[in-house]
Amino acid sequence: MAAPVPQAPAPAETARRPWYRQFYFWVLTAIVTGILTGWLWPSVGTAMEPVGTTFIAAIKMLITPIVFLTIVGGIGSVDSLGRVGRVGLKSLLYFQAGTLAALLVGLIAVNVFQPGVGVHAHPEDLHLTGDAGQYVKEGENQGWWHFLTDLVPPSAVGAFAAGNILQVIFFSVLFGIALKAVGPIGEPLVDGVHRLTTVVFKILHYVMLAAPVGAFGAMAFTIGKYGISTLTSLGRLIALTYGTSVFFVIVVLGAVTAALQVNIFRLLRYLREEFILVLGTSSSESALPRLMMKLEGLGIRRDIVGLTIPTGYSFNLDGSSIYLSLAAVYIAQATDTPLSIGQQLGLLAVMILTSKGSGGVTGAGFIALAATLSTVGTVPAAGIMLIFGIDKFMSECRALTNLAGNSVATLVVARWENALDTAHVNDVLHSRTPPPERNQDAGLPVQLPEPDQLL
């Protein structure tokens, strides 16, 4: 009688980390600690500014290399350059639709709730000082066409040094297309790009170990400098901004994901660590590398993620678009400046252009707002002083909404390309753990860096 064939042992299930060792727990703890520090000891909180800015600087240090490597690697790995052009064109078309929807939602909300009515601020009494004055000056000198003229960097190295994502994208696309066009000569370089990408993401792993410390420093400084009272002084506008953004994400983006047969709440839960990181640092850039890895973990092709996400950070700013429409009409209401429906639609048309290409730039929201008001000329640009003090608290909302919008945009473009495995996406969203075998050919590490490894 033949001996029984031994059965292979069943794969052991990965033990789930306890809650106190999860990434989001430590970042949330750091945020709460930072709020308490800034509130109870404002001087200490203000002194924490270098802690937060240093962490964000470390993340920004890696963003341009990651954008370059992922775009070049994605283009170099596709079977035809025509596919790259299709992905880029479809992304831009969706971005325009998303921006228009966000602006319209903000415009409707501010007209319905009218948070600025009753303020009765006099424009001649508003004096531009400090950073606000500089932002308005830049906005007045910035035409609606700026995102086209700023697209081409005067120096490729300068684009990387300045951290201008839009210019890095432009150079990366040209480099990737050229690399693909030279055929076999470029294949070793494509392989080298994949290997270098792995090294850069390993550096990101080390940087992310400091995420809780960075979140603590950023939040402590914000509360210490501006104070809790700032949150209540213009509470109606803050509440409307957050409420409108939540409505946009759950209802508008939720309808889009529902059409893709994906549950928006499961997608948000899957990206919860990235949202918490953005909440703590007030910067959507801090989550860009992890977001790209998470979306590849859903089985989305690398070239789609590599083109859609970095481009979306300049062209698909849903949260910033909502903020622009709310802020512009709020200033008009607060300064008793009458705006007809036609004039508001004119504002909207200009904001579709001025909202582009400013992602990741300090004061970008104010510069875009000042450029819009200066171009239209019906609302006093000096009115931004009315909202300057609370802008920092609304920046988290803008960043969170931008992150959600770009995540959904990637799913839409993938479906448009017939490259979205809905069953696989839902499996990952249910299990919360992306399967490692999906991305081994992408040259990216699949395991996300977890700061709890310090424990």
Side-chain angles (χ1 to χ4, degrees):
M1 184 175 179
V5 178
Q7 298 293 322
E13 294 186 1
T14 303
R16 186 171 177 80
R17 289 188 180 94
W19 60 269
Y20 56 85
R21 298 194 62 179
Q22 295 288 331
F23 172 79
Y24 66 85
F25 169 76
W26 286 103
V27 177
L28 274 178
T29 301
I31 292 173
V32 173
T33 306
I35 291 174
L36 292 175
T37 301
W39 178 33
L40 299 176
W41 302 284
S43 60
V44 175
T46 304
M48 292 296 105
E49 180 183 16
V51 177
T53 55
T54 300
F55 172 73
I56 294 176
I59 292 292
K60 288 185 175 182
M61 171 186 69
L62 298 173
I63 286 178
T64 50
I66 287 174
V67 169
F68 175 78
L69 293 170
T70 52
I71 290 179
V72 172
I75 295 175
S77 301
V78 299
D79 50 13
S80 70
L81 288 176
R83 193 165 80 176
V84 176
R86 288 199 314 272
V87 171
L89 180 60
K90 290 173 180 177
S91 298
L92 291 176
L93 288 175
Y94 176 81
F95 293 162
Q96 284 299 98
T99 298
L100 180 59
L103 288 171
L104 282 172
V105 168
L107 202 62
I108 292 171
V110 74
N111 277 280
V112 170
F113 294 97
Q114 299 185 337
V117 172
V119 176
H120 303 304
H122 299 289
E124 59 273 12
D125 295 333
L126 300 173
H127 303 288
L128 294 168
T129 58
D131 291 339
Q134 180 63 32
Y135 295 151
V136 170
K137 183 179 179 181
E138 291 184 33
E140 290 174 343
N141 295 328
Q142 178 174 279
W144 58 266
W145 59 86
H146 78 97
F147 71 92
L148 292 176
T149 56
D150 293 346
L151 184 63
V152 181
S155 165
V157 175
F160 284 87
N164 191 313
I165 295 180
L166 190 59
Q167 294 180 352
V168 171
I169 291 171
F170 179 79
F171 177 76
S172 302
V173 170
L174 287 181
F175 192 94
I177 290 174
L179 191 61
K180 185 68 179 178
V182 298
I185 297 177
E187 290 178 0
L189 284 176
V190 174
D191 181 65
V193 166
H194 290 325
R195 295 175 184 272
L196 187 58
T197 301
T198 304
V199 175
V200 172
F201 271 92
K202 190 63 177 178
I203 299 173
L204 173 67
H205 170 90
Y206 298 137
V207 172
M208 289 305 299
L209 296 176
V213 178
F216 164 78
M219 190 57 68
F221 167 73
T222 299
I223 301 298
K225 180 173 181 178
Y226 298 103
I228 292 289
S229 60
T230 308
L231 290 173
T232 58
S233 60
L234 291 172
R236 290 180 63 189
L237 179 60
I238 296 175
L240 183 60
T241 302
Y242 276 84
T244 304
S245 299
V246 169
F247 173 86
F248 181 83
V249 171
I250 295 178
V251 177
V252 179
L253 296 183
V256 174
T257 56
L260 303 176
Q261 298 181 328
V262 175
N263 187 294
I264 185 66
F265 295 104
R266 288 199 176 97
L267 178 64
L268 297 178
R269 183 185 64 185
Y270 176 71
L271 299 173
R272 67 187 183 279
E273 294 172 347
E274 288 65 47
F275 283 112
I276 293 173
L277 182 60
V278 169
L279 179 65
T281 60
S282 301
S283 170
S284 55
E285 284 187 332
S286 61
L288 186 149
R290 288 177 58 98
L291 176 64
M292 295 174 71
M293 288 191 286
K294 279 286 191 74
L295 292 173
E296 287 210 20
L298 293 176
I300 301 175
R301 284 197 330 242
R302 186 186 182 195
D303 61 301
I304 294 176
V305 175
L307 284 172
T308 305
I309 291 298
T311 308
Y313 265 59
S314 288
F315 286 91
N316 189 43
L317 305 173
D318 293 335
S320 299
S321 298
I322 292 172
Y323 163 80
L324 278 178
S325 55
L326 287 175
V329 180
Y330 172 85
I331 292 172
Q333 293 173 352
T335 56
D336 298 319
T337 303
L339 285 180
S340 65
I341 297 297
Q343 289 173 319
Q344 292 191 38
L345 292 178
L347 274 173
L348 185 145
V350 174
M351 285 188 286
I352 289 178
L353 299 174
T354 55
S355 63
K356 306 298 183 186
S358 297
V361 179
T362 302
F366 271 113
I367 294 172
L369 179 59
T372 302
L373 300 183
S374 300
T375 301
V376 177
T378 53
V379 182
I384 71 169
M385 287 301 297
L386 296 171
I387 60 175
F388 185 70
I390 62 169
D391 181 73
K392 182 66 176 176
F393 297 103
M394 293 192 290
S395 64
E396 285 94 346
C397 184
R398 295 198 297 266
L400 292 168
T401 309
N402 291 340
L403 183 70
N406 283 310
S407 302
V408 173
T410 306
L411 296 177
V412 171
V413 174
R415 167 60 67 83
W416 208 345
E417 279 286 290
N418 295 318
L420 183 67
D421 186 345
T422 304
H424 173 73
V425 170
N426 285 316
D427 285 344
V428 174
L429 295 183
H430 277 84
S431 65
R432 311 184 190 183
T433 304
E437 66 271 10
R438 297 293 296 193
N439 276 346
Q440 287 181 351
D441 62 341
L444 286 176
V446 183
Q447 295 298 326
L448 296 175
E450 294 293 350
D452 63 357
Q453 292 180 11
L454 285 174
L455 300 179

